[in-house]
Each structure stands twice: as C-alpha cells, then as structure tokens.
C-alpha cells in the first residue's frame, strides 16, 4: 500500500478490504475450465528507457517530468526497467507458473513521429520482436494491447490528440504496422485499455467538461473500429489471431 502512495493507515486498511472482497468475489464465481488467468502490465509503467533507441515523448513523459504531475515526482524514465531486464521478469513469471501475459506496445517507440505514414523505428521493432519471442520461449502467451493511455505528445503538437478527427487515421496506420510487424508472434490483440476511463475520467477545463469526454470517446470508437477492420481484412485469415478491446471491470455487490 505504501508503494502505491497510500501512506495513511486508514487508506491502507481500505485498500486491503477492497482487495480481500475482490478475491472473495472471484473465488465464488463459476469460471469456465478454459478461462485464462494471467498477469498484465503496461509499457509506460514498466519499460523505462523513456528516450532510448529513438523513442519520442508521450504525454505522460511530459506530465511526470516537466509538470511534476506525480505527487512524489516519480517519472517514466526508469520505472521497472523492463526494457533492459525483461528476461528476468519472464523468469519470475515462469517461476510463478503464469502462462498468459498482457503487455502493451508504445506507439512512440514504433513511430516516433506518430503521424500516419511516418517512418518506422527499426530498433523498436527489434526490441519488441525479441521481447515477444522471449515470452513464447518461456511458455507464456502474449496478449498485446496497442494503446495504454500513452498518447504520443506529437499528436498534441500537430492536433488535438484523441479528440482530433484525424486520430483514427493515425491510430489505424500505427495498428496496421503492429499487425504487420508482430502478427506472426501475437494471437491476441487489444485496441485500447479502458476507453471509458480515458474519456470520462480525463482532466478537462471547465468549459470542456460537458463535451470533451464525448468527443474523445467518439474518436476512440472510430479508431477501435478502424483497427479491427484492418486486422480482419488484411491479417486475421493468415495470422489466425483475435482482436478486441480491454474494458474496465467493476464488481457490484448485491
């Protein structure tokens, strides 16, 4: 709890009760025998290497380092250092007998300029291919999320980010490249992590609060549908994979 920023005893106790009730709820659920249990991370929160090998800035890089957005001034520069230590990470997963691992790819590594038709960063391609191969060699199935709230800063320099009408075009091109470059290693794709949270729970100016969440949600849905269309029409038959979206789950106690 302290690691997560909950230094207050009351908050720590609340967190423990929430986790305990969640585990109890999961324990009494009747999951199918082929249900896949695993672990999940996001690239921004684990990779570190924030500017290594040609990667460009995400919005969170700017928020954490420049604007000191995180209370204890934590930045994205190192995080868990998985960019350099993923072999050790996978050895731990294997030790814990985890067979399924959801990860994410950073748009800003693959396409530092972020815009549709911009150059591909070959160093990033090599990194992620090695990363995915190491997972498979450890007997762990990768589940790849294309976007985990790590918006390329370039899309704000050249437009309005997720609320820009060109966002689906830029995202679709990025997704297309990922399917092409990694589809032989990946059988499970996700377009976005918790799109409701990314639209409804954003920080907006007073005059934007009644419209901006809907605009962002609208263009994220269009981007999702564009990526799904591209995968199904160009890659799914040959690669034999599946594609969906990560939705946030809330347990309701009745």
């Amino acid at each position: 709890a302290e690691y997560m920023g909950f230094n207050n005893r009351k908050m720590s106790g609340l967190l423990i009760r929430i986790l305990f009730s969640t585990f109890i709820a999961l324990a009494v659920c009747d999951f199918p025998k082929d249900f896949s249990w695993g672990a999940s991370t996001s690239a921004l929160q684990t990779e570190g290497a924030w500017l290594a090998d040609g990667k460009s800035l995400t919005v969170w890089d700017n928020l954490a380092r420049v604007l000191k957005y995180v209370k204890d001034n934590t930045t994205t520069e190192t995080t868990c250092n998985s960019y350099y230590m993923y072999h050790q990470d996978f050895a731990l997963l294997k030790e814990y007998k985890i067979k399924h691992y959801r990860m994410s790819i950073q748009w800003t590594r693959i396409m530092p300029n972020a815009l549709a038709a911009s150059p591909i960063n070959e160093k990033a391609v090599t990194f992620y291919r090695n990363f995915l191969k190491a997972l498979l060699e450890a007997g762990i199935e990768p589940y790849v999320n294309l976007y985990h709230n790590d918006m390329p800063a370039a899309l704000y320099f050249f437009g309005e980010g997720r609320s820009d009408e060109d966002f689906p075009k830029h995202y679709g091109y990025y997704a297309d490249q990922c399917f092409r470059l990694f589809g032989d290693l990946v059988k499970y794709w996700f377009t976005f992590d918790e799109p409701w949270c990314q639209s409804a729970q954003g920080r907006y100016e007073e005059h934007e609060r009644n419209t901006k969440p809907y605009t962002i949600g609208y263009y994220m849905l269009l981007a999702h549908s564009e990526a799904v269309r591209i995968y199904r029409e160009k890659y799914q038959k040959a690669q034999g994979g599946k594609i969906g979206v990560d939705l946030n789950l809330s347990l309701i106690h009745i």
Side-chain angles (χ1 to χ4, degrees):
E2 184 174 354
Y3 174 77
M4 297 175 67
F6 295 107
N7 296 311
N8 182 282
R9 286 183 177 271
K10 183 177 180 180
M11 289 300 296
S12 298
L14 176 62
L15 176 62
I16 291 170
R17 289 196 296 274
I18 291 172
L19 291 174
F20 181 76
S21 63
T22 300
F23 291 144
I24 293 298
L26 290 173
V28 301
C29 291
D30 185 18
F31 288 94
K33 292 182 179 180
D34 60 350
F35 188 86
S36 298
W37 292 94
S40 67
T41 62
S42 77
L44 184 74
Q45 294 167 311
T46 58
E47 284 181 2
W50 73 311
L51 293 178
D53 295 331
K55 177 188 170 294
S56 64
L57 293 171
T58 70
V59 168
W60 267 104
D61 293 327
N62 287 334
L63 287 174
R65 183 174 174 81
V66 180
L67 300 180
K68 307 295 183 183
Y69 194 81
V70 182
K71 187 175 181 179
D72 64 355
N73 293 328
T74 297
T75 71
T76 57
E77 294 177 38
T78 305
T79 61
C80 300
N81 212 24
S82 187
Y83 190 81
Y84 301 107
M85 301 178 66
Y86 63 87
H87 287 289
Q88 292 96 313
D89 296 339
F90 299 164
L92 287 172
L93 290 175
K94 191 173 182 179
E95 180 182 340
Y96 299 151
K97 302 185 186 306
I98 289 174
K99 299 293 185 181
H100 307 275
Y101 181 70
R102 196 199 74 177
M103 52 170 282
S104 70
I105 291 175
Q106 289 209 69
W107 188 342
T108 50
R109 288 200 194 279
I110 300 299
M111 294 165 50
N113 293 336
L115 305 177
S118 61
I120 300 298
N121 180 6
E122 294 299 332
K123 289 184 178 180
V125 174
T126 299
F127 165 73
Y128 282 117
R129 286 196 64 84
N130 289 339
F131 189 99
L132 292 164
K133 287 177 181 178
L135 269 177
L136 293 169
E137 288 168 1
I140 302 169
E141 185 76 44
Y143 292 68
V144 177
N145 179 23
L146 292 169
Y147 181 94
H148 197 110
N149 205 18
D150 47 1
M151 168 66 63
L155 294 186
Y156 278 106
F157 296 151
F158 297 109
E160 295 294 327
R162 288 167 300 180
S163 61
D164 195 295
E165 62 182 6
D166 286 332
F167 177 72
K169 177 183 70 175
H170 300 313
Y171 177 83
Y173 184 85
Y174 157 67
D176 194 338
Q177 303 314 303
C178 288
F179 301 147
R180 177 178 65 86
L181 295 164
F182 310 118
D184 60 319
L185 303 172
V186 178
K187 300 305 177 187
Y188 300 95
W189 294 98
F190 301 99
T191 54
F192 290 98
D193 178 78
E194 300 184 343
W196 180 84
C197 294
Q198 293 190 46
S199 55
Q201 295 185 341
R203 292 173 64 93
Y204 305 114
E205 299 293 337
E206 185 68 34
H207 67 280
E208 299 176 323
R209 291 177 183 173
N210 292 329
T211 57
K212 198 72 169 283
Y214 298 98
T215 304
I216 288 176
Y218 173 71
Y219 286 121
M220 288 184 75
L221 284 173
L222 291 182
H224 163 78
S225 63
E226 177 67 1
V228 170
R229 181 193 65 79
I230 290 170
Y231 187 72
R232 288 177 176 172
E233 291 182 359
K234 294 180 63 175
Y235 300 100
Q236 191 167 40
K237 185 176 181 180
Q239 296 178 357
K242 298 180 179 180
I243 189 168
V245 62
D246 290 326
L247 299 177
N248 49 297
L249 173 66
S250 299
L251 293 176
I252 307 299
H253 300 275
I254 300 176

